[in-house]
Amino acid sequence: MFYITQNWYDLLKDEFEKLYFKNLCNFLGREYLTKVIYPKPENVFNSINRVKYNDVKVVIIGQDPYHEPNQAHGLCFSVENDTKLPPSLVNIFKEIKNEYGYQNTNGNLLAWAKQGVLLLNSVLTVEKGKANSHKGMGWENVTQKIIDLLNEREDPIVFMLWGSSAQRIGSKIDTSRHCVLKTVHPSPLSAYGGFFGCGHFKKANDFLKSIGKTEIDWHT
């Protein structure tokens, strides 16, 4: 049903053999046949397909995909080209402007992924118009495994944990090796509670520079 690169399949194949994942696939098979589900099946694993395990430099964890047309394409907070920016992404771009001075207008964040930014939602599918409709169906086990695998890496990673959901998934990350940045979610409901002014984009680059890695160009 889904496409996944060999690099990540080899790491996750044991997970794909578990009963919960088989049940999840059966559920999604019915959902895709009878309802409008986002993203398209070939884009469900877009986040990890775009960044090899050893190439991940920064991880941003979202919740579930956008649930309106022409938005979700498998990268958290990102939308397809020529799509109106959702409120959370507007706030992310505001914070980048606060830190770097330039204004992003393209909501497709593929340029970040190409530089090693893993844009991972905790739930990878959603029914049209129904936020969190696939929450609790099994995706959380898959994404937790992805984070656990990254946490095992000796090569340090920056983890951006925005909001309680992301912080729960990242609660076991080894902060002695990895850089963990925490603040509230960038949604309009919470952004003024600490997201604006968090400085995470510069802090991530400062950390990458300190370990001899190329900084992320946050332009889109």
Side-chain angles (χ1 to χ4, degrees):
M1 172 183 261
F2 306 120
Y3 169 74
I4 184 168
T5 59
Q6 194 68 43
N7 176 257
W8 279 99
Y9 179 81
D10 289 343
L11 292 164
L12 295 168
K13 59 186 177 182
D14 290 344
E15 208 70 16
F16 296 151
E17 292 299 317
K18 293 181 179 179
L19 180 60
Y20 86 83
F21 190 78
K22 294 178 180 179
N23 290 337
L24 173 62
C25 287
N26 288 335
F27 164 74
L28 290 171
R30 296 189 299 269
E31 290 285 288
Y32 274 104
L33 280 174
T34 59
K35 301 171 183 175
V36 177
I37 304 299
Y38 301 126
K40 297 173 183 177
E42 61 267 28
N43 287 334
V44 167
F45 283 107
N46 211 11
S47 56
I48 57 175
N49 286 340
R50 294 290 183 173
V51 191
K52 290 181 179 180
Y53 176 74
N54 287 326
D55 292 340
V56 174
K57 298 191 322 192
V58 178
V59 177
I60 298 177
I61 302 175
Q63 296 178 344
D64 68 336
Y66 297 123
H67 53 265
E68 298 301 335
N70 304 314
Q71 292 185 321
H73 63 128
L75 306 176
C76 76
F77 295 109
S78 180
V79 291
E80 295 181 8
N81 290 327
D82 303 317
T83 300
K84 182 181 178 182
L85 301 182
S88 291
L89 187 54
V90 169
N91 288 338
I92 289 170
F93 285 174
K94 282 182 180 178
E95 176 56 26
I96 291 172
K97 185 178 181 181
N98 288 340
E99 296 182 36
Y100 285 99
Y102 54 78
Q103 180 65 60
N104 284 335
T105 56
N106 181 8
N108 189 329
L109 306 181
L110 183 57
W112 295 1
K114 289 179 177 179
Q115 299 176 75
V117 181
L118 180 64
L119 297 160
L120 182 69
N121 276 315
S122 59
V123 175
L124 301 187
T125 55
V126 69
E127 182 180 345
K128 179 182 178 181
K130 296 184 178 180
N132 293 315
S133 51
H134 290 178
K135 183 179 179 180
M137 300 306 298
W139 278 127
E140 294 89 344
N141 296 319
V142 180
T143 51
Q144 184 66 66
K145 180 63 176 180
I146 291 170
I147 296 302
D148 291 346
L149 286 166
L150 291 165
N151 183 42
E152 292 171 5
R153 240 181 54 178
E154 288 299 319
D155 191 21
I157 298 169
V158 179
F159 291 88
M160 294 184 179
L161 308 180
W162 301 337
S164 58
S165 175
Q167 288 167 22
R168 184 165 55 251
I169 294 170
S171 62
K172 297 179 182 178
I173 294 170
D174 182 357
T175 56
S176 70
R177 182 165 69 253
H178 303 296
C179 175
V180 178
L181 304 173
K182 298 180 182 179
T183 189
V184 299
H185 194 274
S187 79
L189 296 174
S190 56
Y192 285 96
F195 183 79
F196 292 135
C198 68
H200 279 191
F201 300 95
K202 277 196 171 182
K203 288 177 181 177
N205 276 341
D206 287 345
F207 179 79
L208 292 173
K209 188 175 180 180
S210 75
I211 59 173
K213 293 196 175 186
T214 305
E215 298 173 48
I216 304 298
D217 179 356
W218 298 108
H219 279 97
T220 59

